[in-house]
Amino acid sequence: HAQRRLLERDIILQPSDLATINQAVQKAAAKGAKDSLLIYGDLALVASIKNNTIVTALDQKSAKDHIFTNIDSAVIVEKQTSF
């Protein structure tokens, strides 16, 4: 589902982005989270922590007026910049 949403919304994540997001998922798991909203730059990602899976991904435009339900935590992830 998330992969399809990324393609539909023309969202491209680099390997470094995926590594950063994975670290955030691991930190959420360490805190006992089960389903988290990850804010990464202008992206909102809903992750199933227990399944180690991104359920859906929305860019800022798609997330406008969107209500996130069935989450037990939120993680603000610092977006890595490359030079």
Side-chain angles (χ1 to χ4, degrees):
H1 185 257
Q3 184 69 20
R4 187 175 76 236
R5 290 283 186 243
L6 290 169
L7 291 172
E8 287 172 358
R9 295 178 176 131
D10 199 27
I11 299 169
I12 299 170
L13 295 174
Q14 300 302 318
S16 61
D17 295 316
L18 297 174
T20 301
I21 292 165
N22 186 53
Q23 288 175 348
V25 168
Q26 298 308 314
K27 287 179 182 179
K31 293 286 188 176
K34 293 181 178 44
D35 296 289
S36 292
L37 171 64
L38 307 173
I39 304 298
Y40 183 65
D42 66 347
L43 296 179
L45 308 162
V46 177
S48 170
I49 304 301
K50 64 182 180 176
N51 294 324
N52 199 32
T53 303
I54 299 298
V55 176
T56 196
L58 300 105
D59 58 12
Q60 187 174 11
K61 180 180 176 185
S62 301
K64 184 179 180 184
D65 296 326
H66 192 86
I67 298 172
F68 296 94
T69 59
N70 299 322
I71 60 170
D72 60 17
S73 58
V75 181
I76 309 299
V77 184
E78 184 176 352
K79 186 164 171 77
Q80 303 297 314
T81 56
S82 58
F83 297 94

